[in-house]
Amino acid sequence: MRLLPYVVPPVFALLCLHMESVRAELLGNYVGAENCAECHVVIAESWAKTPHAKAFEVLKREGKDTTPGCMKCHSVAYGKDGGFIDMELTPELAGVQCESCHGPGLKHLDSQDSAHIIRNSKKEGCRTCHTPGQDANFDFVRKVKKVHPVKELK
């Protein structure tokens, strides 16, 4: 017990120096839409008005917000390291967000390099959730414009 005052400050200092690696260890490589919105303001504002932004709320209304098969598509990276766990532990990853289509954002957030993010999502990525059984008339060209009407940031 006597050593505690001598141990805690240096450990805390190390954690502060390596906060990004601590964040990555705790949350994985996913950062949530709120972090993306800091630079991609217009895109985030337009996304917030889409059904994707409210996808988890739909599950809650239907009482399916703990159903793994539903959470996989209605949250960011459910079942993957650093992905959505539940509303208590990872509420910032609820809903279909930027990283659902563009991949984990930590590396891009830290580097600001577009090489570290999937810039243009492909139809195949959408089809992991918009399956023929879930969305038989899925039209990528038409739907992507509703989800992401803005192409560039600012």
Side-chain angles (χ1 to χ4, degrees):
M1 232 14 194
R2 288 186 205 167
L3 291 176
L4 198 57
Y6 300 103
V7 173
V8 171
V11 169
F12 182 74
L14 282 171
L15 287 174
C16 289
L17 285 173
H18 300 287
M19 193 56 82
E20 287 181 13
S21 62
V22 170
R23 179 185 64 194
E25 183 66 30
L26 295 175
L27 298 176
N29 291 317
Y30 297 94
V31 298
E34 197 170 293
N35 281 291
C36 302
E38 290 179 19
C39 296
H40 304 278
V41 177
V42 175
I43 292 172
E45 288 172 353
S46 98
W47 163 82
K49 298 172 189 167
T50 70
H52 275 176
K54 296 159 188 59
F56 202 82
E57 294 169 24
V58 172
L59 287 187
K60 284 174 118 175
R61 275 196 312 271
E62 295 177 1
K64 297 180 179 179
D65 55 320
T66 58
T67 305
C70 297
M71 291 191 302
K72 178 182 170 229
C73 290
H74 289 253
S75 65
V76 176
Y78 177 76
K80 296 180 182 175
D81 286 344
F84 180 79
I85 297 169
D86 61 30
M87 287 303 288
E88 186 177 334
L89 295 172
T90 53
E92 70 281 1
L93 298 178
V96 180
Q97 301 183 22
C98 313
E99 294 167 298
S100 298
C101 304
H102 297 282
L106 181 62
K107 212 170 183 182
H108 173 66
L109 181 69
D110 289 343
S111 71
Q112 300 296 303
D113 186 343
S114 63
H116 294 139
I117 199 81
I118 299 168
R119 286 186 47 89
N120 298 307
S121 301
K122 304 286 185 241
K123 178 180 179 177
E124 296 75 30
C126 299
R127 273 299 195 185
T128 60
C129 292
H130 291 272
T131 63
Q134 291 287 343
D135 193 349
N137 299 315
F138 179 74
D139 179 345
F140 176 75
V141 174
R142 186 174 56 81
K143 288 218 176 177
V144 79
K145 290 176 184 173
K146 288 183 177 183
V147 173
H148 207 289
V150 185
K151 290 285 184 193
E152 295 301 322
L153 65 126
K154 292 181 187 139

